[in-house]
Amino acid sequence: MVSSAWRRQGHLARATDIAVRAAQDVRTGGGSPEPTRLAASSSLLATAAYTAAKMGDRQTAHALIGEAAETAKAGRANADSPTDAGLQQVLLHQLSVHYLLGDAGQAIDLARTIDPTALPTAERQGRFFIDVARCFDQWGKPEQCYRALLAAERAAPQEIRRGAVKDLAGGLLHHDRSLAGVRAFAGRAGVTVN
């Protein structure tokens, strides 16, 4: 996606604008059934909200994630075969928005409303738990952070080799060696354990 390329290059405002315009174009365009257009639009709005949060633009991020949720709900209500996939994806983006804006408590409250077993792939489930771990780390709750990392490993063992997990495991190892099994986990995540 073009907006993601701009975001990776550090042009966050441009990336946000591109995603918002694309969401508007998709929603009002023809050719595809309305539920398909609404799902695509909600995904683009969620991406724009995430990018705005990376920029630190709290007001825009919250407005866009709210619009993404409403659009996903409208798509679900109008679909012939209703699915929560679009709404779940928006909730996952909303979790990231809260984290990026430093609202770890709100992120954890939101995470408690998400059923990770309903996520479509083991990889997505693992990433959900990694996001939850990051929020607990931001909130200063090492035990809960560690439990979320263990849940990520159970869901998708390959995901614990990600840089974010390695950083979290290293931090836990450095600050709280009293957590049972944290040394072994850190080693599995790729942290050099002395």
Side-chain angles (χ1 to χ4, degrees):
M1 172 192 309
V2 173
S3 70
S4 294
W6 281 103
R7 185 178 65 228
R8 280 188 223 102
Q9 292 177 16
H11 301 282
L12 301 178
R14 179 145 174 84
T16 301
D17 291 342
I18 289 169
V20 169
R21 276 192 306 238
Q24 292 166 343
D25 290 347
V26 166
R27 188 169 185 169
T28 59
S32 297
E34 185 180 28
T36 302
R37 290 193 322 257
L38 291 172
S41 181
S42 70
S43 179
L44 288 162
L45 289 167
T47 298
Y50 174 85
T51 306
K54 280 189 80 77
M55 234 180 348
D57 186 343
R58 179 175 295 277
Q59 183 177 358
T60 300
H62 284 300
L64 289 170
I65 203 67
E67 188 178 348
E70 290 304 314
T71 302
K73 288 175 190 171
R76 182 176 183 263
N78 293 333
D80 292 332
S81 55
T83 176
D84 284 335
L87 189 53
Q88 287 287 327
Q89 192 64 23
V90 170
L91 290 174
L92 294 174
H93 275 81
Q94 188 174 11
L95 180 73
S96 296
V97 164
H98 286 313
Y99 169 76
L100 289 169
L101 294 174
D103 300 329
Q106 285 184 306
I108 295 303
D109 286 345
L110 177 64
R112 289 184 176 120
T113 70
I114 298 171
D115 176 8
T117 62
L119 299 175
T121 65
E123 175 189 3
R124 189 57 247 164
Q125 291 173 18
R127 289 191 183 185
F128 165 76
F129 286 117
I130 292 167
D131 288 347
V132 169
R134 292 170 68 193
C135 293
F136 276 125
D137 179 64
Q138 184 182 72
W139 204 10
K141 299 197 176 285
E143 187 176 328
Q144 292 90 333
C145 173
Y146 181 47
R147 283 198 307 248
L149 289 174
L150 291 174
E153 183 179 31
R154 283 190 300 276
Q158 71 280 5
E159 292 299 308
I160 69 160
R161 301 292 290 186
R162 296 181 153 278
V165 175
K166 188 175 179 179
D167 292 344
L168 290 169
L172 288 172
L173 188 62
H174 184 265
H175 294 293
D176 200 343
R177 290 178 181 251
S178 66
L179 295 171
V182 74
R183 287 179 58 81
F185 177 82
R188 292 191 304 274
V191 176
T192 303
V193 181
N194 297 329

